Amino acid sequence: MIRFVLTALAFVVAALPARAIDIKEVTSPGGITAWLVEEHSIPFTALEIRFKGGASLDREGKRGAVNLMTGLIEEGAGDLDATGFAAAREALAASYGFDVGDDTFSVSAQFLTENREEAVALLKLALNKPRFDEAAIARVKSQIVSGIGSDQNDPNEIAQQTASRLAWGEHPYGSDSSGTIESVTALTRDDLLTAYNDVVARDRIFVGAVGDITADELGGILDDLLGGLPETGAPLPEAATYLPEGGVTVVPFETPQSVAIFGHEGIERDDADFFAAFVLNQVLGAGGFGSRLMQEVREKRGLTYGVSTFLVPKDLGHLYLGQVASANDRIAEAIDVIRDQWQLIATEGVTDQELADAKTFLTGAYPLRFDGNARIAGILAGMQLDGLPINYADSRNDRINAITQDDIKRVAARLLRPDDLHFIVVGQPEGLQSTN
Amino acid sequence: MLRTCLIALAALVATPTMAAENVTTFMLENGLEAVVIEDHRAPVVVHMLWYRAGSADEEPGVSGVAHFLEHLLFKATDKLASGEFSDTVRANGGSDNAFTSYDYTGYFQRVAADRLELMMQMEADRMRNIRLTDEDIITERDVILEERSQRTDSDPGALFSEQRRAAQYLNHPYGVPIIGWRHEMEQLDMADALEFYRTYYAPNAAVLVVAGDVDPAEVEELAKKHYGPLAPTVDLPVRTRPQEPPQLAERRLRFDDPRVSQPYVIRTYIAPERDAGDQKMAAALTVLADILGGSSATSVFGRALELENPKAVYTSAFYSGLSFDDTTFGVVIVPTPEYTLEQAEAEMDAVIAQFMEDGVDPAQLERVKTQIRASQIYANDNVGGLARRYGAALTSGLTVEDVQAWPDVLQAVTEEDIIAAARFIFEERRNAVTGWFEKPAPEALEVTQ
């Protein structure tokens, strides 16, 4: 049997010739810093602005305020109401995305070179002078409340939210950033102004820009867009404490297929062993069809369509999570297989082949991430948020390649704790009960 | 109806055309059609192989076999062990996957540009040489049943959509779900899979799309080397599926499910699709969907139903012209809790009637066209997206010329075209399926006789 592997190996030796990307640090006349990649072949620019803090800055009893504020940024600004603003943006064919996560509030903009000045002026209006009109508040509130209602009937959302609540309790990480129907309904215009002032401030800005724009042009835009924002926002919340013990929590839900989220505490992004954990996770559950869990649960037993694991290093706490879905009469078996693999890798580590394959994949896949102006702009802002150096991309693959079996064994023994695994199962699983 | 395509193919062989500045095409003697899209910004390539065969090309009774086969193509061939295809892609730092639709099945890999030949070598190998075991059939059938559980049976919205499609198409196989009906999926076997495979997995039923940091002449050389030796299917069936009879009765569906939290009304009408050389009506319908229900802040629905005196939390109009046979045009309204589904439907219909009376706001049409023009610029940032655009079009009965003419056809749409398209769609309720998606009413405490 002739195998293609030989050819493949020959290719691997000649490692991917990542064309070094040329990232420049730009400091505007007003003192705002951004990372820039000039790419003049397509006449538009992607701009990513991230504010550290995000939905975790919700004040006590005001869960969902930052999320609602985010939803209203584009719903009227300056002398334009919601329709006027949207009509102006559409006439420029610009796009502004506003999004919020636990740790960041982000603005993702794309605009054409031919009307860049007008597009930036309009975005400035939204970022600096949002109106928070009562009519718009009522409308966006009802959309959010409708979404919360849908989530309450979605087994994946129920599992996710149960996992967060068990993990973090009363900390903002412990509840969904959309808030509850009650908390969102009670929010006032003043709450939104407070959320805006807490989140959108100059002391927490990270910017990436990619496209048909020069350093000088970007400098001017930064000052224009962000220079007028308040100097400081709200202080970041305290670190979150991970609460649960190992076990099973069943959330009864009428559905033919159970969904499960499982995991325990993870590892910090700036831990010396983070890269080793990242490679280990690739072998265990992040490697798609090639991962241990996918092989054992799907390929060998047909117990699921998909199983995966992921490291969740947040600013104020960290988790190591996985998810799987399986028929109600098969989920218990899927869970057993997952536990066994967790135990097996914790004690025995991974094979040399698995380690080599994971490294080859991760180093080969890294350059493929730099896929288009908007994605690169996001990566540039993210690297700054993580405190990485501007030349990080050049050395990142060397760090992956430097991981040894000793590193993997050390981090596996520390990171993988089968007895601490907690499975949240939503459905009507046969042969599974909540532990206490 | 079986007919040979070989004669037709001979006439088309070897006519490379420079279609746009970065798009090149060629065709191999065995009928494989190819499109190359150049993007030299990063040393990456997307290699896609599309087959002109989807779930609508299945024989009756084996629903889901096109998708089942898609899964099975990752098993062994003469040269590759089961799973080795994806392992090799991964070992080279790439990613790969596949997808099945009504009109096509596609396989793709994204890798460093210098690994293109390896991808072609493997993809060509599995076009004609898979070797399935009974074990593969049993395990993978369990996987697709789990997939159906996850994507469809666990999601009342997906179940509802399946029921509405079945009611929409009286005769055409578009009424059968891509994933398959469960009772038929459970019976799928080796013979079903292989019959579909031997018929459709052939160079004269395939479209190759290569996009990224590549040289078109080199791509053609590689394609000749790896795909060139493959034998075409001599009796490849002509794609004539059972067509729709005149639809004479409006259909209305109510779907109750306790998992429904947000009731809505959705209505779809049978509508013409984009046809080769004739995309005018489809263009008018595309712009109509945008004008009527595109942006919630500026569309006709958004302004009338969501903004002023809100009756809905969400509205939309939708149309996809990319389809081999007749497609659908749809409208949807998710009412605020104060409105019943009956009221919401009436409000939506009133807005549509008023729109056809008032005509199109010229400023709104101008904005929509500006965005269509800009989307051509933004699209160049995503070479994978461009590759999909060509692959889907060429397997849905269109040509490279149609894809490239499409932006101009859209720009040429007039206010009159849009209103004419609206009348064509909305004034024939017999073509429509209206669905109410709701929670079951609370059960009566007592039943009297």
Side-chain angles (χ1 to χ4, degrees), chain A residues 243-273:
Chain A
L243 301 169
E245 294 176 353
V248 175
T249 299
V250 175
V251 183
F253 190 79
E254 204 170 314
T255 173
Q257 188 188 44
S258 292
V259 302
I261 288 190
F262 53 91
H264 49 49
E265 222 172 354
I267 185 168
E268 286 184 46
R269 178 69 183 77
D270 53 9
D271 189 291
D273 268 335

Side-chain angles (χ1 to χ4, degrees), chain A residues 2 4 16 19 90 146 360 368, chain B residues 91 110 112 121 262 295 298:
Chain A
I2 304 164
F4 287 131
L16 183 62
R19 225 167 267 171
E90 288 166 15
S146 160
T360 316
L368 304 194
Chain B
R110 213 171 145 260
Q121 191 182 355
Q262 188 64 71
S295 147
T298 61

